Amino acid sequence: MGTAADRRFAPRLRELLRRTEHAYAAGDERPLRGYLAAMAAFGAYTAGWATVVRMRGRPLPDRPVPWDVALTAVATFRLSRLLSKASVTSPLRAPFTTFVGPQGPAELHEEARSDDGNATVGELVTCPFCMSVWVASTLTAGQLLWPRATRTTMGALTALAGADALQLAYNALVNRTTGE
């Protein structure tokens, strides 16, 4: 059981957090506690990967290879958009989001649900910028643990990004030449 000092500390800390949230939000809803939980989850996730890498005895490179950085960047871009915007992955986001409408070729505009405490998860899974932090970390860990398989996967994602760019360029060219 906690001491008397512990019992006084917890309510004071909760009140400090409540006042901080209120002052920060300036009248808007800002789920700071959810963001704090997401940061803690990301810290635990990356610590887990780091532990596995260390336990496997994989040496860290002295510096990143430029080709791997470029491949990781393009693969992260494509996988982040695939997870956070693609129509086909909407069932993964549906528990945390509400469909708003189409947004770009084969992409959706969804908004985070704010009614059930999953607002932070909804923001994460609909934001390709937010998702890219998790994806880049995962791909980096994959390069350290399973370099061949990860580079093959990143190559496929990079090819997909290139194909997407070509599809968009082709459509723009057709529209320009036909006047549509």
Side-chain angles (χ1 to χ4, degrees), residues 140-152:
T140 300
Q143 288 178 72
L144 294 171
L145 293 169
W146 310 284
R148 291 178 66 176
T150 303
R151 283 189 184 96
T152 300

Side-chain angles (χ1 to χ4, degrees), residues 47-58 145:
W49 275 120
T51 301
V52 171
V53 168
R54 186 172 185 159
M55 288 174 57
R56 303 261 323 271
R58 297 283 186 165
L145 293 169

Side-chain angles (χ1 to χ4, degrees), residues 27-83:
D28 287 336
E29 284 270 329
R30 300 305 306 154
L32 287 183
R33 291 177 197 201
Y35 295 156
L36 187 59
M39 289 179 359
F42 182 76
Y45 180 71
T46 54
W49 275 120
T51 301
V52 171
V53 168
R54 186 172 185 159
M55 288 174 57
R56 303 261 323 271
R58 297 283 186 165
L60 295 176
D62 290 332
R63 64 180 157 263
V65 177
W67 174 249
D68 282 343
V69 173
L71 193 63
T72 303
V74 177
T76 296
F77 161 79
R78 189 63 201 108
L79 185 54
S80 296
R81 290 208 71 84
L82 182 67
L83 292 172

